[in-house]
Amino acid sequence: FDMMRGKFCVKPAPLFASFFRLIERRKMIKLGMKLFSTNCLQTPDFAASVIDYVNAHDDMFLELMAVPGSFEATHAFFGERVKTSDVVVHNAHEAYDFNAADRNRRETNRQMLDESRRFADELNASVIVVHAGNGFGRAGQEETVYQFRHFNDSRVAVENLPMINDITNEIMHGLTPEMIAEIKDASGCKFCFDFAHAICAANGLGLRHDDVMAGFAALKPDMYHLCDGDINGEDDVHWHYGEGSYDLDKYLARYIAPDALVTMETGGKPAGIQPWINDREYIRRLQRQL
């Protein structure tokens, strides 16, 4: 009874409020399986099984890595099969010589992004994930800002990166929330929060994991990448869930939005789909325990 208002007031018990928040979280989070565009040429049965599984589950989506030069040979395979309403395209990265920090690669970077745009148009994707650059120190960060500003596509989402590029051994950009915020503020792009990259960068920089995580979460990511790994390591190892020491339950509870797209970046390129089905079930078990 509210003595000030002179009437009875009904308020939901905290336990029930928590219960309904949990139901909403279970309902809304979507988990993504990741294919390379060339998978349909190299392992077409595997690629088709992933797409069929994603199509059959409302809580799943597809992330497609756009391998440079593959659009003409592969887009029909995906365009005819992908039926899910949520698709993410991942732009080519350092392994394909994409580097937004290198002013001499502006044209080749644009060409690779154009191919990602073609895949995104074909599949009606709402996000194109693009790595921040690497190398050249502060000038490289400024060039990264410049290139993202001139990509001029509202679907582009900058991804935070680990400390060291394991291909070139150069220091990456987008290591901290401040670096990502600089790129976002200048370009208006979206943000893909990669947990493994954040942990690797925090370890390399000597920063507290939770400080880095909270800083990235405050930027309101548009999607997430999540795998398992060595909580004390600096290498991005992409282990299956349960194989490492990441605090996955904490990340789900604290840092991932209830309407999130979360790509399961686990296990590299498995021989079959079952390891990824196991990863999906692992995350759902964690959610039920929150």
Side-chain angles (χ1 to χ4, degrees):
F1 186 77
D2 189 330
M3 295 294 293
M4 296 296 292
R5 299 181 182 179
K7 60 182 180 180
F8 287 97
C9 296
V10 178
K11 296 181 179 180
L15 178 61
F16 286 104
S18 298
F19 172 77
F20 286 118
R21 283 196 298 270
L22 175 57
I23 293 297
E24 184 68 10
R25 176 174 290 277
R26 287 180 182 173
K27 174 184 175 183
M28 296 299 291
I29 286 179
K30 285 195 171 186
L31 297 172
M33 292 183 177
K34 186 172 182 177
L35 288 175
F36 285 62
S37 56
T38 49
N39 284 148
C40 72
L41 305 176
Q42 299 161 351
T43 53
D45 291 343
F46 168 69
S49 69
V50 170
I51 295 170
D52 289 345
Y53 188 87
V54 168
N55 286 338
H57 294 83
D58 291 339
D59 66 337
M60 300 294 295
F61 70 97
L62 179 71
E63 180 171 324
L64 183 68
M65 169 63 76
V67 176
S70 69
F71 180 81
E72 295 300 337
T74 66
H75 75 94
F77 179 94
F78 293 100
E80 292 172 359
R81 288 168 175 79
V82 175
K83 307 301 180 185
T84 178
S85 59
D86 291 297
V87 178
V88 170
V89 171
H90 198 304
N91 187 61
H93 48 52
E94 302 80 37
Y96 304 100
D97 291 328
F98 180 92
N99 185 3
D102 188 348
R103 64 177 298 128
N104 294 321
R105 299 186 188 182
R106 288 179 181 176
E107 179 59 23
T108 56
N109 289 345
R110 184 194 61 77
Q111 291 172 1
M112 282 186 264
L113 183 60
D114 283 348
E115 186 152 21
S116 294
R117 288 184 173 118
R118 296 179 73 187
F119 276 112
D121 291 343
E122 175 85 25
L123 301 174
N124 197 29
S126 59
V127 177
I128 302 173
V129 178
V130 181
H131 280 197
N134 64 94
F136 307 101
R138 176 61 198 172
Q141 170 75 2
E142 292 174 354
E143 177 65 21
T144 297
V145 170
Y146 174 90
Q147 292 200 26
F148 270 82
R149 189 166 65 245
H150 287 82
F151 288 154
N152 196 31
D153 192 314
S154 62
R155 297 171 294 185
V156 167
V158 62
E159 180 177 354
N160 62 295
L161 299 178
M163 182 78 174
I164 301 295
N165 181 331
D166 59 6
I167 298 172
T168 66
N169 290 320
E170 294 176 316
I171 294 179
M172 310 286 271
H173 300 295
L175 303 179
T176 66
E178 292 77 16
M179 295 176 82
I180 290 295
E182 182 181 12
I183 298 168
K184 280 176 54 50
D185 291 346
S187 66
C189 69
K190 296 180 177 181
F191 172 40
C192 173
F193 178 6
D194 188 302
F195 283 90
H197 292 174
I199 292 166
C200 293
N203 289 336
L205 295 168
L207 302 175
R208 293 182 67 253
H209 294 163
D210 283 341
D211 291 343
V212 174
M213 299 286 186
F216 281 132
L219 297 178
K220 298 182 179 179
D222 296 272
M223 66 163 299
Y224 306 77
H225 286 168
L226 185 66
C227 63
D228 211 337
D230 178 3
I231 195 68
N232 297 310
E234 297 181 32
D235 295 327
D236 186 19
V237 291
H238 292 284
W239 291 343
H240 290 288
Y241 302 130
E243 293 180 347
S245 51
Y246 284 2
D247 296 322
L248 297 171
D249 53 349
K250 181 169 72 174
Y251 307 156
L252 287 166
R254 290 189 185 179
Y255 302 124
I256 294 181
D259 58 348
L261 297 177
V262 183
T263 300
M264 304 184 300
E265 282 205 323
T266 54
K269 300 177 182 178
I273 193 175
Q274 189 59 50
W276 285 349
I277 294 175
N278 296 343
D279 286 327
R280 171 181 179 256
E281 293 172 350
Y282 189 99
I283 291 298
R284 295 310 183 199
R285 285 196 299 272
L286 285 185
Q287 286 186 277
R288 289 193 290 270
Q289 295 167 10
L290 294 178

